[in-house]
């Protein structure tokens, strides 16, 4: 079960973008995330007039490892670890400990 989903707000905990916040745009299969305005790289793009693509140096978000981010809690303004619990019905849910009362 994935603990971080598309649309979640996360905080980067390690790397060159440590401390930056952003929303998850995509979750890739190999536990990597694409986060808005985090891990931005420059890519050289060849022009393709047939497809209407202009050439130049483009900036885009590169994937970041899911273990390098934490969910952002707006109540405490900090990143928090996420746990997973199984309900009595058998369903699973991911939660951040201060937000859910068991």
């Amino acid at each position: 079960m994935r603990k971080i989903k598309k649309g979640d707000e996360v905080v980067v905990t390690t790397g060159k973008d440590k401390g930056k916040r952003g929303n998850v745009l995509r979750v890739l299969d190999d536990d990597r995330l694409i986060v808005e305005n985090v891990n931005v790289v420059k890519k050289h793009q060849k022009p393709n007039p047939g497809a209407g693509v202009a050439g130049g140096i483009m900036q885009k978000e590169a994937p970041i490892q899911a273990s390098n981010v934490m969910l952002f809690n707006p109540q405490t303004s900090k990143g928090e670890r996420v746990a997973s619990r199984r309900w009595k019905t058998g369903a699973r849910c991911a939660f951040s400990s201060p937000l859910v009362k068991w």
Side-chain angles (χ1 to χ4, degrees):
M1 174 180 184
R2 298 196 192 275
K3 296 178 181 179
I4 298 176
K5 300 176 184 163
K6 179 181 175 181
D8 287 344
E9 189 171 2
V10 294
V11 179
V12 179
T13 58
T14 59
K16 67 177 184 174
D17 294 323
K18 181 177 181 177
K20 284 190 179 180
R21 280 188 355 209
N23 291 325
V24 177
L25 300 176
R26 281 180 39 200
V27 177
L28 304 177
D29 289 337
D30 54 350
D31 289 334
R32 296 176 74 78
L33 312 169
I34 296 183
V35 182
E36 181 179 33
N37 297 326
V38 173
N39 198 21
V40 177
V41 296
K42 292 185 177 183
K43 180 179 186 318
H44 293 264
Q45 181 74 40
K46 271 179 99 170
N48 186 351
V53 176
I57 301 174
M58 309 294 176
Q59 290 189 340
K60 62 181 250 180
E61 292 94 0
I64 187 170
Q65 188 70 28
S67 64
N68 294 336
V69 298
M70 295 176 97
L71 274 180
F72 179 74
N73 183 354
Q75 295 172 347
T76 61
S77 299
K78 293 181 181 179
E80 290 189 343
R81 292 182 177 159
V82 182
S84 176
R85 284 268 170 98
R86 189 176 296 273
W87 295 98
K88 292 178 182 176
T89 61
R92 292 177 62 125
C93 73
F95 68 93
S96 178
S97 55
L99 298 178
V100 175
K101 304 290 185 207
W102 291 92

